Amino acid sequence: MELTCLHNKFNLSALPHLSLPSSKNPNPRFFSRKRNNLCLASTSDTLVTGSGKEVSSKKDAELGDLKSWMHKNGLPPCKVVLKERPSYDEKHRPIHYVAACEDLRAGDVAFSVPNSLVVTLERVLGNETVAELLTTNKLSELACLALYLMYEKKQGKKSFWYPYIRELDRQRGRGQLAVESPLLWSDDELAYLTGSPTKAEILERAEGIKREYNELDTVWFMAGSLFQQYPYDIPTEAFPFEIFKQAFVAVQSCVVHLQKVPLARRFALVPLGPPLLAYRSNCKAMLSAVAGAVELVVDRPYKAGEPIVVWCGPQPNSKLLINYGFVDDDNSYDRLVVEAALNTEDPQYQDKRLVVQRNGKLSVQAFPVYAGKEKEAVSDMLPYLRLGYVSDPSEMQSVLSSQGPVCPVSSCMERAVLDQLADYFKRRLAGYPTTLNEDESLLSDPNLNPKKQVATQLVRLEKKILHACLQATMDLIDQLPDHTVSPCPAPYAPLLK
């Protein structure tokens, strides 16, 4: 599926002009401008191809590009320009990106977008309504923006925001790597992620979006001040779930999380921001809220024409793929999670639970395993796992009276703990349908489907972490003084998943 405008879904010419609630700004010109802001996914038969592409290009030339529109409406002189690169699919229009229009030095302000050109919940709802909506836990900020934008989209070219909408539509939510979030992938495409815990995350996120959709009508009635100006049906009658899901994902891929601002401004849609900016994990430049604007200060020098990159926050690759449709091979924040749990059938479960809580852990504990720090992660797991193997009540009392995560360690216990851990990593690796070598071979194919490419990148990096964990565990086994010792039985061994 690709991202395209709601123009494909609604007869916009028949829709009346709407005005926003007047809770924040009494200027009627402001309200008449804020009307239209969304890219939604549709099936491939709605994509612009052939002569349709030429017609669309002519319209773009007549209306001017995004940056020209922004300058006409308050964007001060800046040091960037919009450029384009070809799409992997000739049916899709080239992807635009923000590039330096002159040589830049670290610390230069690339651009400063005035708040009048930024869409936030404060602009949409006003602070009081934001509080009303968000304190109910019925609707997230992203869902609220998506719902608002779906109604706004019906305004078509009457919208002040039409040039921005058109640019989002052109990008089709693909980001700079031409791949949309796997939340919009087919079942066959999700199969590329078989074996990865990310697949379950995607399905869980999709269920969360469904739950929010089911609450839309409730929120409609609760927040009448938001919706009273819209002469349309209630949300679930106006928009099928798939439309809302696509809108949610589109907002998710474009939204900027601003720091040190009120709740109602922390999520923002910023022209010249994503998806026109590329995300990179090793970059420290961020879009920041300043007095009356959102600006970007670059963290490195650029030559004229080079694409501008920004930091995506401390997110693992699984989140980068779900949120933005890309994977970063150099992501120092990449991680997997190993979940360990004390066995609830253990007669000494309550005592062991007390010990782990005393040491800052839980009876079901998630251990993050960061790329490049697998040895440290394995070492961090061992005291927890050893505790699960304690079976003698007197030994348990000794553990309870000690300070710190200390428990007696016999050779047979250590071998059992390490064997369990090694078997766990082997089992996770066996859950993938391909090997690391096969992944490398796939990624060497220049014609590999982009979705399969990013999925293969992800599972390859996950396997590297798991292999490193397995190697660290095997190294510890090799260091045991006596390899003839059999692992001790553990009827209540901790559970790993």
Side-chain angles (χ1 to χ4, degrees), residues 22 29 48 116 224 265 295 310 380 400 414 469 475 479:
S22 56
R29 292 182 66 242
V48 178
S116 59
R265 291 183 56 210
E295 73 174 17
V310 293
D380 190 37
L400 282 169
E414 191 71 352
C469 286
D475 289 346
Q479 293 169 20

Side-chain angles (χ1 to χ4, degrees), residues 135-183:
T135 56
T136 64
N137 292 320
K138 297 291 187 182
L139 206 63
S140 68
E141 292 96 329
L142 296 188
C144 197
L145 278 173
L147 179 59
Y148 166 72
L149 294 175
M150 286 191 294
Y151 281 106
E152 287 293 295
K153 189 67 176 180
K154 292 191 174 189
Q155 300 308 302
K157 294 181 182 179
K158 293 180 180 179
S159 172
F160 169 73
W161 299 98
Y162 183 74
Y164 179 42
I165 299 162
R166 188 177 70 246
E167 187 60 47
L168 291 178
D169 188 42
R170 179 191 185 97
Q171 296 300 102
R172 301 175 185 273
R174 294 170 290 176
Q176 293 303 308
L177 294 186
V179 178
E180 70 267 81
S181 166
L183 286 165

Side-chain angles (χ1 to χ4, degrees), residues 39 49 58 85 88 119 134 151-152 174 182 184 187 234 260 278 295 297 299 312 345 367 394 465 468:
C39 293
T49 58
K58 290 178 181 177
R85 62 170 57 96
Y88 71 88
V119 181
L134 300 184
Y151 281 106
E152 287 293 295
R174 294 170 290 176
L184 298 178
D187 289 342
I234 60 176
K260 299 178 182 178
E295 73 174 17
V297 177
D299 71 330
C312 50
E345 296 180 1
F367 290 92
S394 62
I465 293 175

